[in-house]
Every structure is written in structure tokens, then in C-alpha cells.
Amino acid sequence: MANLHLIKANYNTIINNSRKAFVFTTKAFYFAYIEITNNINMNRFISIVFFCFTIGIIQAQNVLNLDSCRNMALRNNKALRVAKEKAEAAKYERKAAFTNYLPKLSAMGTYMHNTRELSLLSDDQKATLNNLGTGLVDAIPPLQILNVEQILNSVGGTITDALRTNTRNMYVGAVTLTQPVFMGGKIRAYNQITRFAEQLAKTQENADTQEIILKTDEAYWQIVSLAHKKKLAESFLELVKKLDSDVEKMINEGVATKADGLSVKVKVNEAEMTLTKVENGLSLAKMLLCQLCGIEDLTTPITLADENIQTLSLPANTQEVNLETAMSNRPEIISLELADKIYRQKINLARSEFLPNIALTGNYLITNPSVFNSFENKFRGMWNIGVVVNIPLFHWGEGIYKVKAARRESNAIRYQLDEAREKIELQVSQCQFKVNEASRKLTMALKNMEKAEENLRYANWGFKEGVIPTSNVIEAQTAWLSAQSEKIDAQIDVKLTEVYLMKALGTL
């Protein structure tokens, strides 16, 4: 029983925290009661209640604030993942470029089968050596009695066999070490380019991050605006329905005409249509926010923290407008500055193609057949070191043209950078004007709302007293609806213009 009292206390807490938790927990007690009546174990009863309690809390916590939406969007956005992968790729490109300063070690092996072997002797020379004794005896007949013909022929055949290369099957292997000494500045330029490219990729990632935050904020405040307008449309619908009911009573009493009733019914239909449009727009806006936040099911019911707030908290407008801040923080400026540095290094890269290249080399070469002890079928090798120098001499002005082309590309980037600075200066000024304009519009909207509420109050009072016609009440209700809608729009504009200003300054 003590456990049951504890569960009831938790149950009461859940009811106070959330309506959804209340529904799920009520179901939990219902099923738990059935379990008890069937003499089921008390531990199982506690488990059932705890399980449903957890589900209720999860369902009730489906409320998102602006920061949580931003975090979800940044975690799940595909474009941002692409940008991060590109930044990682640029980092590894930079590391790969640095290895060009270091010595390179490589190994090479070759096997080659030849249909004919290489020969150091011609066929006539082989025949002469193989018949050395015979030729000598023919030239000097007295030598025949010394029996030197066979001996010399054997010696000649031995020489012929010794000079045979046996190169039908050849094996060659080499291990080479290369250390660049001077490559015309190519290695240094390439390292600078990859370093700037890595910074450029990170800048692009930052730009994508700001763009995602901006889109998320726009979708978030669009939902908040539509949620408030939905409540406004519901309130307006109640007003015109109440007016319709009052006019119907007056028509029955004979103090109002059917024309008055029809005009009110038209307003009721318009209010219902407006509410339907707002509800549809709200559903689509929430689907867009789900897509931005990476929620797979776009129809997932979500509630924003600012939907149910009567008056939105407005920014303090303390954002300092400084053009230097914008120039130093805007990803576009940073990207163009890095691009300018990259193209300047491309000039050096183009120039390096037509400067001398010097490198040290060291090799170990192994062959079979070996040539270090005549020709023998053994693997034998040797070490060697050397210097390789490559000096371009004449290429019909190709290098000059390439350097000039690289300079023109660098100049084009600098012009783009100057143009971007001018546009950003204009954009910052426009955003600052819009912030001030939104603040003034909100002040005017609040005053208009007060007047519209007072006008509606007098119209309702005069209608009850019979001194104000129905048309005036409808006009007062329409003016109240317009003033309320303008107040909501003005509040959202203040929020968004602050975001746009931060985006323009590069501080979002």
C-alpha cells in the first residue's frame, strides 16, 4: 500500500506538469488497476506505471526552442556535412603538399622475356672463333702435324660460349631515393595554395553554418507568427459568431434586418476561411522546420516555445554596427581574400614551370643476368648517387603567357573583392535601416492596437445599446483584426531584422 501511495503522488505531479503526461498516466493507472484486481504482482504494477509515466513525459517534452532547432539543423543538415567533408579533404591536401619537401623512396621491379637474346658477337665472328684451329691450320699447313686444330677449335668455342649474354629472361630491380633541392619555387607555392585552400574550405563551412541558422530562424519565427495569427483568427471567429448570434436574436425581435444578418454571416465565412488558410500555412511551416532540423517524419507534431507566449520578448537592439567588424567577419570577404592569395601563388606556380629544377638522387640497381662478372645468371647490384638538373631553354614564350594569364586572374579576384566590400557596406546600412524601421513599426502597431481595442469596445457597447449599426461593429472588428495582425508582423520583423543585421555583420 505504501508503494501505491507513492505512485499516486507521482501521478499527481505528472498531471500538474503536462496534459499529455496526464493522459498517458491516467491510462497507466487504469491498466494497473486491472492488473491488481487480477492479483498481479505489485512490482509489475509499478513497472507499468513507470513505463507509461516515461512515455507521457517524452510526449510532453516535444517542445522546441530556437537554440534546440538551430542545434538540430546544424547536426543534421546535409549541405553542412558536405562542407565539413570538404574541409577535411582540404586539410589532408595540405598535409600531402608538405610531403613534397621530404625525400621520396620508391622501388621498381621488372621481368621481361625476349624471343631472342642479345649477342656481343656477330655470326661471322662466332664461326671464326668456333673454327679457330681449322682456320689457322689452313693458313699454316705445317701446324697440322702438331694436332692444334682441335685444341684451338675448342678454345674458340669456349670463348663464344663465354660471350653469350643469355638475355632471354631478364630481371631488373631498383630502389630510388629522390630529394628535391630547388624546383623553381613550385613546392613552396603549392604548399601555400593548399594552406589557403584549407582556410577557404573552413570559411565556406562557416558560411554554410550561418546560412542554415538564418533559414532555421526564418522558419522558426514564421511558425511563431502563424501560431499567433491562428489564435487571432480563432478569437476573431468567436467575435463574429457572437455578433451573428446577437444579430439573429435582433432579427427575431424585429430590430435588425436580414441584410444585417447576411453581412455578418459573410464575415463568419471569411473568418472561417482565414482560419483554414492559417492552419494550412502553419502545418506547412512546421513541415519545413522539421526538414531543416533533420526530422525524417515531416508530419511529426512539434510545438515551439514561443508559440504560447502572449508578448514576444524583443531584442535589446544592442548590436553594434561596425563596418570593420563586417569586413573582418563576413565569409564572402574572407573567401575572396584567400582566393586572392591563392591566385598570387598561382603566378609563382606558373613561373616555376620554366625555372631550373635540381634534385639529388640515390639508387640501388639489381639485374639478372648480371654484367659485373661477365654475363652470369645471378642477381647482382650496385649503389649510385647523382644530381639531376633540368633547365628549360626555349618554349616559344609559353611561360611568359602563362604568368601573364595568372596575373590577370589575380587582378580579377581583387576587383571582385573591392566590389564585395562596397556591396557589404550597402547591405549593412540597409539592415540597420530595417532594424530601426521595424522598431518604429512595432511602436506604431502597439498604438494602433490600443486604439482598435478601444474602438471595438465602444462599438460593442453601442451595438448593445442600439445606437450603433451592425456595419460599424463589423468595421471595428475588422480594424481590430488588422491591428492585431500588424502587431504580430511587427514583432516578428523586429526579431528577423536583428538576425539579418547579425548575418550582414558576420556575427550570426
PDB file of all heavy atoms in Angstrom, residues 342-374:
ATOM      1  N   ILE A 342      45.577  32.823 -53.132  1.00  0.00           N
ATOM      2  CA  ILE A 342      45.777  31.603 -53.930  1.00  0.00           C
ATOM      3  C   ILE A 342      46.212  31.960 -55.347  1.00  0.00           C
ATOM      4  O   ILE A 342      47.160  31.364 -55.893  1.00  0.00           O
ATOM      5  CB  ILE A 342      44.484  30.764 -53.946  1.00  0.00           C
ATOM      6  CG1 ILE A 342      44.251  30.122 -52.571  1.00  0.00           C
ATOM      7  CG2 ILE A 342      44.559  29.676 -55.013  1.00  0.00           C
ATOM      8  CD1 ILE A 342      42.939  29.390 -52.445  1.00  0.00           C
ATOM      9  N   TYR A 343      45.565  32.952 -55.955  1.00  0.00           N
ATOM     10  CA  TYR A 343      45.912  33.303 -57.328  1.00  0.00           C
ATOM     11  C   TYR A 343      47.282  33.971 -57.413  1.00  0.00           C
ATOM     12  O   TYR A 343      47.969  33.862 -58.438  1.00  0.00           O
ATOM     13  CB  TYR A 343      44.830  34.204 -57.935  1.00  0.00           C
ATOM     14  CG  TYR A 343      43.683  33.410 -58.499  1.00  0.00           C
ATOM     15  CD1 TYR A 343      42.552  33.150 -57.744  1.00  0.00           C
ATOM     16  CD2 TYR A 343      43.736  32.905 -59.784  1.00  0.00           C
ATOM     17  CE1 TYR A 343      41.504  32.395 -58.250  1.00  0.00           C
ATOM     18  CE2 TYR A 343      42.699  32.155 -60.324  1.00  0.00           C
ATOM     19  CZ  TYR A 343      41.584  31.908 -59.538  1.00  0.00           C
ATOM     20  OH  TYR A 343      40.556  31.155 -60.053  1.00  0.00           O
ATOM     21  N   ARG A 344      47.701  34.645 -56.368  1.00  0.00           N
ATOM     22  CA  ARG A 344      49.064  35.179 -56.367  1.00  0.00           C
ATOM     23  C   ARG A 344      50.086  34.045 -56.330  1.00  0.00           C
ATOM     24  O   ARG A 344      51.140  34.123 -56.982  1.00  0.00           O
ATOM     25  CB  ARG A 344      49.258  36.091 -55.159  1.00  0.00           C
ATOM     26  CG  ARG A 344      48.504  37.417 -55.267  1.00  0.00           C
ATOM     27  CD  ARG A 344      48.823  38.330 -54.113  1.00  0.00           C
ATOM     28  NE  ARG A 344      48.066  39.577 -54.200  1.00  0.00           N
ATOM     29  CZ  ARG A 344      48.191  40.593 -53.336  1.00  0.00           C
ATOM     30  NH1 ARG A 344      49.069  40.485 -52.344  1.00  0.00           N
ATOM     31  NH2 ARG A 344      47.468  41.671 -53.476  1.00  0.00           N
ATOM     32  N   GLN A 345      49.782  33.009 -55.577  1.00  0.00           N
ATOM     33  CA  GLN A 345      50.680  31.857 -55.566  1.00  0.00           C
ATOM     34  C   GLN A 345      50.639  31.101 -56.898  1.00  0.00           C
ATOM     35  O   GLN A 345      51.621  30.478 -57.290  1.00  0.00           O
ATOM     36  CB  GLN A 345      50.308  30.917 -54.418  1.00  0.00           C
ATOM     37  CG  GLN A 345      50.585  31.486 -53.039  1.00  0.00           C
ATOM     38  CD  GLN A 345      52.053  31.830 -52.840  1.00  0.00           C
ATOM     39  OE1 GLN A 345      52.935  31.123 -53.308  1.00  0.00           O
ATOM     40  NE2 GLN A 345      52.302  32.929 -52.139  1.00  0.00           N
ATOM     41  N   LYS A 346      49.498  31.178 -57.584  1.00  0.00           N
ATOM     42  CA  LYS A 346      49.434  30.543 -58.902  1.00  0.00           C
ATOM     43  C   LYS A 346      50.371  31.229 -59.889  1.00  0.00           C
ATOM     44  O   LYS A 346      50.869  30.595 -60.838  1.00  0.00           O
ATOM     45  CB  LYS A 346      48.000  30.564 -59.431  1.00  0.00           C
ATOM     46  CG  LYS A 346      47.110  29.499 -58.813  1.00  0.00           C
ATOM     47  CD  LYS A 346      45.769  29.412 -59.520  1.00  0.00           C
ATOM     48  CE  LYS A 346      44.960  28.239 -58.993  1.00  0.00           C
ATOM     49  NZ  LYS A 346      43.667  28.085 -59.699  1.00  0.00           N
ATOM     50  N   ILE A 347      50.623  32.521 -59.703  1.00  0.00           N
ATOM     51  CA  ILE A 347      51.617  33.212 -60.538  1.00  0.00           C
ATOM     52  C   ILE A 347      52.988  32.590 -60.323  1.00  0.00           C
ATOM     53  O   ILE A 347      53.721  32.296 -61.284  1.00  0.00           O
ATOM     54  CB  ILE A 347      51.636  34.716 -60.199  1.00  0.00           C
ATOM     55  CG1 ILE A 347      50.280  35.362 -60.524  1.00  0.00           C
ATOM     56  CG2 ILE A 347      52.750  35.416 -60.960  1.00  0.00           C
ATOM     57  CD1 ILE A 347      50.183  36.811 -60.103  1.00  0.00           C
ATOM     58  N   ASN A 348      53.348  32.384 -59.054  1.00  0.00           N
ATOM     59  CA  ASN A 348      54.631  31.743 -58.755  1.00  0.00           C
ATOM     60  C   ASN A 348      54.686  30.321 -59.290  1.00  0.00           C
ATOM     61  O   ASN A 348      55.728  29.852 -59.745  1.00  0.00           O
ATOM     62  CB  ASN A 348      54.869  31.735 -57.238  1.00  0.00           C
ATOM     63  CG  ASN A 348      54.966  33.134 -56.662  1.00  0.00           C
ATOM     64  OD1 ASN A 348      55.385  34.066 -57.355  1.00  0.00           O
ATOM     65  ND2 ASN A 348      54.585  33.295 -55.400  1.00  0.00           N
ATOM     66  N   LEU A 349      53.529  29.630 -59.222  1.00  0.00           N
ATOM     67  CA  LEU A 349      53.487  28.267 -59.727  1.00  0.00           C
ATOM     68  C   LEU A 349      53.701  28.228 -61.241  1.00  0.00           C
ATOM     69  O   LEU A 349      54.427  27.368 -61.760  1.00  0.00           O
ATOM     70  CB  LEU A 349      52.141  27.637 -59.359  1.00  0.00           C
ATOM     71  CG  LEU A 349      52.022  26.119 -59.465  1.00  0.00           C
ATOM     72  CD1 LEU A 349      52.986  25.428 -58.527  1.00  0.00           C
ATOM     73  CD2 LEU A 349      50.587  25.677 -59.175  1.00  0.00           C
ATOM     74  N   ALA A 350      53.088  29.173 -61.948  1.00  0.00           N
ATOM     75  CA  ALA A 350      53.275  29.236 -63.405  1.00  0.00           C
ATOM     76  C   ALA A 350      54.718  29.593 -63.744  1.00  0.00           C
ATOM     77  O   ALA A 350      55.301  29.055 -64.703  1.00  0.00           O
ATOM     78  CB  ALA A 350      52.312  30.262 -64.010  1.00  0.00           C
ATOM     79  N   ARG A 351      55.324  30.482 -62.974  1.00  0.00           N
ATOM     80  CA  ARG A 351      56.706  30.866 -63.227  1.00  0.00           C
ATOM     81  C   ARG A 351      57.671  29.716 -62.947  1.00  0.00           C
ATOM     82  O   ARG A 351      58.708  29.567 -63.619  1.00  0.00           O
ATOM     83  CB  ARG A 351      57.063  32.076 -62.362  1.00  0.00           C
ATOM     84  CG  ARG A 351      58.434  32.658 -62.654  1.00  0.00           C
ATOM     85  CD  ARG A 351      58.766  33.790 -61.712  1.00  0.00           C
ATOM     86  NE  ARG A 351      57.888  34.946 -61.924  1.00  0.00           N
ATOM     87  CZ  ARG A 351      57.024  35.367 -61.017  1.00  0.00           C
ATOM     88  NH1 ARG A 351      56.892  34.736 -59.862  1.00  0.00           N
ATOM     89  NH2 ARG A 351      56.263  36.416 -61.259  1.00  0.00           N
ATOM     90  N   SER A 352      57.357  28.877 -61.957  1.00  0.00           N
ATOM     91  CA  SER A 352      58.266  27.796 -61.573  1.00  0.00           C
ATOM     92  C   SER A 352      58.414  26.742 -62.664  1.00  0.00           C
ATOM     93  O   SER A 352      59.410  26.016 -62.695  1.00  0.00           O
ATOM     94  CB  SER A 352      57.767  27.139 -60.285  1.00  0.00           C
ATOM     95  OG  SER A 352      56.571  26.412 -60.522  1.00  0.00           O
ATOM     96  N   GLU A 353      57.416  26.643 -63.554  1.00  0.00           N
ATOM     97  CA  GLU A 353      57.492  25.647 -64.617  1.00  0.00           C
ATOM     98  C   GLU A 353      58.634  25.914 -65.586  1.00  0.00           C
ATOM     99  O   GLU A 353      59.038  25.024 -66.333  1.00  0.00           O
ATOM    100  CB  GLU A 353      56.160  25.605 -65.382  1.00  0.00           C
ATOM    101  CG  GLU A 353      54.973  25.134 -64.556  1.00  0.00           C
ATOM    102  CD  GLU A 353      55.079  23.668 -64.171  1.00  0.00           C
ATOM    103  OE1 GLU A 353      55.759  22.911 -64.914  1.00  0.00           O
ATOM    104  OE2 GLU A 353      54.506  23.286 -63.139  1.00  0.00           O
ATOM    105  N   PHE A 354      59.166  27.138 -65.574  1.00  0.00           N
ATOM    106  CA  PHE A 354      60.190  27.496 -66.549  1.00  0.00           C
ATOM    107  C   PHE A 354      61.471  27.979 -65.874  1.00  0.00           C
ATOM    108  O   PHE A 354      62.232  28.758 -66.428  1.00  0.00           O
ATOM    109  CB  PHE A 354      59.637  28.566 -67.503  1.00  0.00           C
ATOM    110  CG  PHE A 354      58.404  28.087 -68.198  1.00  0.00           C
ATOM    111  CD1 PHE A 354      57.144  28.363 -67.681  1.00  0.00           C
ATOM    112  CD2 PHE A 354      58.492  27.317 -69.333  1.00  0.00           C
ATOM    113  CE1 PHE A 354      56.006  27.886 -68.313  1.00  0.00           C
ATOM    114  CE2 PHE A 354      57.363  26.843 -69.968  1.00  0.00           C
ATOM    115  CZ  PHE A 354      56.118  27.121 -69.451  1.00  0.00           C
ATOM    116  N   LEU A 355      61.679  27.505 -64.633  1.00  0.00           N
ATOM    117  CA  LEU A 355      62.916  27.735 -63.905  1.00  0.00           C
ATOM    118  C   LEU A 355      63.640  26.407 -63.731  1.00  0.00           C
ATOM    119  O   LEU A 355      63.023  25.342 -63.807  1.00  0.00           O
ATOM    120  CB  LEU A 355      62.622  28.370 -62.536  1.00  0.00           C
ATOM    121  CG  LEU A 355      62.031  29.783 -62.566  1.00  0.00           C
ATOM    122  CD1 LEU A 355      61.722  30.245 -61.138  1.00  0.00           C
ATOM    123  CD2 LEU A 355      62.984  30.758 -63.240  1.00  0.00           C
ATOM    124  N   PRO A 356      64.959  26.431 -63.486  1.00  0.00           N
ATOM    125  CA  PRO A 356      65.699  25.172 -63.317  1.00  0.00           C
ATOM    126  C   PRO A 356      65.177  24.358 -62.142  1.00  0.00           C
ATOM    127  O   PRO A 356      64.765  24.908 -61.108  1.00  0.00           O
ATOM    128  CB  PRO A 356      67.140  25.645 -63.072  1.00  0.00           C
ATOM    129  CG  PRO A 356      67.192  27.028 -63.629  1.00  0.00           C
ATOM    130  CD  PRO A 356      65.833  27.604 -63.431  1.00  0.00           C
ATOM    131  N   ASN A 357      65.202  23.038 -62.301  1.00  0.00           N
ATOM    132  CA  ASN A 357      64.849  22.098 -61.246  1.00  0.00           C
ATOM    133  C   ASN A 357      66.076  21.257 -60.911  1.00  0.00           C
ATOM    134  O   ASN A 357      66.733  20.716 -61.815  1.00  0.00           O
ATOM    135  CB  ASN A 357      63.705  21.181 -61.686  1.00  0.00           C
ATOM    136  CG  ASN A 357      62.413  21.950 -61.907  1.00  0.00           C
ATOM    137  OD1 ASN A 357      62.216  23.022 -61.342  1.00  0.00           O
ATOM    138  ND2 ASN A 357      61.548  21.423 -62.742  1.00  0.00           N
ATOM    139  N   ILE A 358      66.356  21.172 -59.610  1.00  0.00           N
ATOM    140  CA  ILE A 358      67.531  20.426 -59.163  1.00  0.00           C
ATOM    141  C   ILE A 358      67.084  19.437 -58.099  1.00  0.00           C
ATOM    142  O   ILE A 358      66.329  19.789 -57.181  1.00  0.00           O
ATOM    143  CB  ILE A 358      68.614  21.362 -58.585  1.00  0.00           C
ATOM    144  CG1 ILE A 358      69.016  22.426 -59.623  1.00  0.00           C
ATOM    145  CG2 ILE A 358      69.836  20.565 -58.148  1.00  0.00           C
ATOM    146  CD1 ILE A 358      69.953  23.479 -59.076  1.00  0.00           C
ATOM    147  N   ALA A 359      67.583  18.200 -58.208  1.00  0.00           N
ATOM    148  CA  ALA A 359      67.240  17.169 -57.231  1.00  0.00           C
ATOM    149  C   ALA A 359      68.425  16.233 -57.052  1.00  0.00           C
ATOM    150  O   ALA A 359      69.202  15.989 -57.992  1.00  0.00           O
ATOM    151  CB  ALA A 359      66.006  16.387 -57.670  1.00  0.00           C
ATOM    152  N   LEU A 360      68.580  15.719 -55.822  1.00  0.00           N
ATOM    153  CA  LEU A 360      69.571  14.693 -55.536  1.00  0.00           C
ATOM    154  C   LEU A 360      68.909  13.328 -55.660  1.00  0.00           C
ATOM    155  O   LEU A 360      67.759  13.147 -55.258  1.00  0.00           O
ATOM    156  CB  LEU A 360      70.133  14.864 -54.126  1.00  0.00           C
ATOM    157  CG  LEU A 360      70.911  16.159 -53.844  1.00  0.00           C
ATOM    158  CD1 LEU A 360      71.294  16.207 -52.368  1.00  0.00           C
ATOM    159  CD2 LEU A 360      72.153  16.258 -54.727  1.00  0.00           C
ATOM    160  N   THR A 361      69.665  12.354 -56.206  1.00  0.00           N
ATOM    161  CA  THR A 361      69.120  11.005 -56.345  1.00  0.00           C
ATOM    162  C   THR A 361      70.116   9.986 -55.805  1.00  0.00           C
ATOM    163  O   THR A 361      71.337  10.178 -55.879  1.00  0.00           O
ATOM    164  CB  THR A 361      68.817  10.674 -57.821  1.00  0.00           C
ATOM    165  OG1 THR A 361      70.043  10.705 -58.567  1.00  0.00           O
ATOM    166  CG2 THR A 361      67.827  11.644 -58.411  1.00  0.00           C
ATOM    167  N   GLY A 362      69.592   8.933 -55.264  1.00  0.00           N
ATOM    168  CA  GLY A 362      70.375   7.781 -54.850  1.00  0.00           C
ATOM    169  C   GLY A 362      69.645   6.523 -55.269  1.00  0.00           C
ATOM    170  O   GLY A 362      68.416   6.432 -55.119  1.00  0.00           O
ATOM    171  N   ASN A 363      70.386   5.554 -55.832  1.00  0.00           N
ATOM    172  CA  ASN A 363      69.753   4.364 -56.380  1.00  0.00           C
ATOM    173  C   ASN A 363      70.517   3.113 -55.968  1.00  0.00           C
ATOM    174  O   ASN A 363      71.746   3.145 -55.762  1.00  0.00           O
ATOM    175  CB  ASN A 363      69.724   4.422 -57.916  1.00  0.00           C
ATOM    176  CG  ASN A 363      68.885   5.564 -58.445  1.00  0.00           C
ATOM    177  OD1 ASN A 363      67.680   5.470 -58.517  1.00  0.00           O
ATOM    178  ND2 ASN A 363      69.547   6.657 -58.814  1.00  0.00           N
ATOM    179  N   TYR A 364      69.793   2.042 -55.873  1.00  0.00           N
ATOM    180  CA  TYR A 364      70.399   0.718 -55.815  1.00  0.00           C
ATOM    181  C   TYR A 364      69.764  -0.081 -56.928  1.00  0.00           C
ATOM    182  O   TYR A 364      68.547  -0.281 -56.964  1.00  0.00           O
ATOM    183  CB  TYR A 364      70.156   0.042 -54.470  1.00  0.00           C
ATOM    184  CG  TYR A 364      70.772  -1.343 -54.412  1.00  0.00           C
ATOM    185  CD1 TYR A 364      72.139  -1.503 -54.268  1.00  0.00           C
ATOM    186  CD2 TYR A 364      69.989  -2.487 -54.547  1.00  0.00           C
ATOM    187  CE1 TYR A 364      72.725  -2.762 -54.241  1.00  0.00           C
ATOM    188  CE2 TYR A 364      70.552  -3.757 -54.514  1.00  0.00           C
ATOM    189  CZ  TYR A 364      71.925  -3.883 -54.370  1.00  0.00           C
ATOM    190  OH  TYR A 364      72.496  -5.130 -54.347  1.00  0.00           O
ATOM    191  N   LEU A 365      70.614  -0.562 -57.883  1.00  0.00           N
ATOM    192  CA  LEU A 365      70.134  -1.237 -59.083  1.00  0.00           C
ATOM    193  C   LEU A 365      70.583  -2.686 -59.051  1.00  0.00           C
ATOM    194  O   LEU A 365      71.748  -2.986 -58.786  1.00  0.00           O
ATOM    195  CB  LEU A 365      70.696  -0.550 -60.329  1.00  0.00           C
ATOM    196  CG  LEU A 365      70.286  -1.139 -61.683  1.00  0.00           C
ATOM    197  CD1 LEU A 365      68.795  -0.949 -61.915  1.00  0.00           C
ATOM    198  CD2 LEU A 365      71.092  -0.474 -62.820  1.00  0.00           C
ATOM    199  N   ILE A 366      69.662  -3.590 -59.313  1.00  0.00           N
ATOM    200  CA  ILE A 366      69.964  -5.016 -59.328  1.00  0.00           C
ATOM    201  C   ILE A 366      69.435  -5.617 -60.621  1.00  0.00           C
ATOM    202  O   ILE A 366      68.344  -5.247 -61.087  1.00  0.00           O
ATOM    203  CB  ILE A 366      69.359  -5.723 -58.095  1.00  0.00           C
ATOM    204  CG1 ILE A 366      69.814  -7.185 -58.038  1.00  0.00           C
ATOM    205  CG2 ILE A 366      67.844  -5.624 -58.084  1.00  0.00           C
ATOM    206  CD1 ILE A 366      69.420  -7.871 -56.733  1.00  0.00           C
ATOM    207  N   THR A 367      70.254  -6.519 -61.241  1.00  0.00           N
ATOM    208  CA  THR A 367      69.855  -7.131 -62.512  1.00  0.00           C
ATOM    209  C   THR A 367      70.175  -8.615 -62.509  1.00  0.00           C
ATOM    210  O   THR A 367      71.025  -9.089 -61.756  1.00  0.00           O
ATOM    211  CB  THR A 367      70.590  -6.470 -63.691  1.00  0.00           C
ATOM    212  OG1 THR A 367      72.001  -6.682 -63.544  1.00  0.00           O
ATOM    213  CG2 THR A 367      70.288  -4.985 -63.784  1.00  0.00           C
ATOM    214  N   ASN A 368      69.468  -9.305 -63.362  1.00  0.00           N
ATOM    215  CA  ASN A 368      69.739 -10.704 -63.657  1.00  0.00           C
ATOM    216  C   ASN A 368      69.320 -10.930 -65.116  1.00  0.00           C
ATOM    217  O   ASN A 368      68.135 -10.745 -65.433  1.00  0.00           O
ATOM    218  CB  ASN A 368      68.964 -11.626 -62.727  1.00  0.00           C
ATOM    219  CG  ASN A 368      69.292 -13.089 -62.929  1.00  0.00           C
ATOM    220  OD1 ASN A 368      70.032 -13.466 -63.849  1.00  0.00           O
ATOM    221  ND2 ASN A 368      68.725 -13.945 -62.086  1.00  0.00           N
ATOM    222  N   PRO A 369      70.270 -11.261 -66.045  1.00  0.00           N
ATOM    223  CA  PRO A 369      71.694 -11.606 -65.867  1.00  0.00           C
ATOM    224  C   PRO A 369      72.518 -10.429 -65.364  1.00  0.00           C
ATOM    225  O   PRO A 369      72.247  -9.286 -65.695  1.00  0.00           O
ATOM    226  CB  PRO A 369      72.142 -12.007 -67.273  1.00  0.00           C
ATOM    227  CG  PRO A 369      70.882 -12.282 -68.032  1.00  0.00           C
ATOM    228  CD  PRO A 369      69.842 -11.399 -67.438  1.00  0.00           C
ATOM    229  N   SER A 370      73.554 -10.747 -64.605  1.00  0.00           N
ATOM    230  CA  SER A 370      74.443  -9.741 -64.070  1.00  0.00           C
ATOM    231  C   SER A 370      75.557  -9.461 -65.065  1.00  0.00           C
ATOM    232  O   SER A 370      76.036 -10.361 -65.753  1.00  0.00           O
ATOM    233  CB  SER A 370      75.035 -10.233 -62.743  1.00  0.00           C
ATOM    234  OG  SER A 370      76.035  -9.356 -62.308  1.00  0.00           O
ATOM    235  N   VAL A 371      76.016  -8.211 -65.142  1.00  0.00           N
ATOM    236  CA  VAL A 371      77.080  -7.823 -66.079  1.00  0.00           C
ATOM    237  C   VAL A 371      78.347  -7.416 -65.344  1.00  0.00           C
ATOM    238  O   VAL A 371      79.278  -6.886 -65.960  1.00  0.00           O
ATOM    239  CB  VAL A 371      76.605  -6.649 -66.963  1.00  0.00           C
ATOM    240  CG1 VAL A 371      75.454  -7.088 -67.845  1.00  0.00           C
ATOM    241  CG2 VAL A 371      76.231  -5.444 -66.116  1.00  0.00           C
ATOM    242  N   PHE A 372      78.369  -7.641 -64.015  1.00  0.00           N
ATOM    243  CA  PHE A 372      79.537  -7.215 -63.249  1.00  0.00           C
ATOM    244  C   PHE A 372      80.656  -8.258 -63.287  1.00  0.00           C
ATOM    245  O   PHE A 372      81.797  -7.968 -62.938  1.00  0.00           O
ATOM    246  CB  PHE A 372      79.127  -6.942 -61.798  1.00  0.00           C
ATOM    247  CG  PHE A 372      78.090  -5.870 -61.671  1.00  0.00           C
ATOM    248  CD1 PHE A 372      76.790  -6.176 -61.328  1.00  0.00           C
ATOM    249  CD2 PHE A 372      78.408  -4.547 -61.946  1.00  0.00           C
ATOM    250  CE1 PHE A 372      75.839  -5.191 -61.229  1.00  0.00           C
ATOM    251  CE2 PHE A 372      77.457  -3.563 -61.847  1.00  0.00           C
ATOM    252  CZ  PHE A 372      76.160  -3.878 -61.500  1.00  0.00           C
ATOM    253  N   ASN A 373      80.317  -9.459 -63.648  1.00  0.00           N
ATOM    254  CA  ASN A 373      81.328 -10.513 -63.783  1.00  0.00           C
ATOM    255  C   ASN A 373      81.002 -11.284 -65.052  1.00  0.00           C
ATOM    256  O   ASN A 373      80.527 -12.414 -65.011  1.00  0.00           O
ATOM    257  CB  ASN A 373      81.328 -11.422 -62.557  1.00  0.00           C
ATOM    258  CG  ASN A 373      82.463 -12.439 -62.594  1.00  0.00           C
ATOM    259  OD1 ASN A 373      83.442 -12.266 -63.320  1.00  0.00           O
ATOM    260  ND2 ASN A 373      82.313 -13.510 -61.830  1.00  0.00           N
ATOM    261  N   SER A 374      81.267 -10.578 -66.173  1.00  0.00           N
ATOM    262  CA  SER A 374      80.788 -11.057 -67.458  1.00  0.00           C
ATOM    263  C   SER A 374      79.264 -11.195 -67.390  1.00  0.00           C
ATOM    264  O   SER A 374      78.600 -10.477 -66.635  1.00  0.00           O
ATOM    265  CB  SER A 374      81.449 -12.384 -67.842  1.00  0.00           C
ATOM    266  OG  SER A 374      81.067 -12.758 -69.153  1.00  0.00           O
TER     267      SER A 374
END
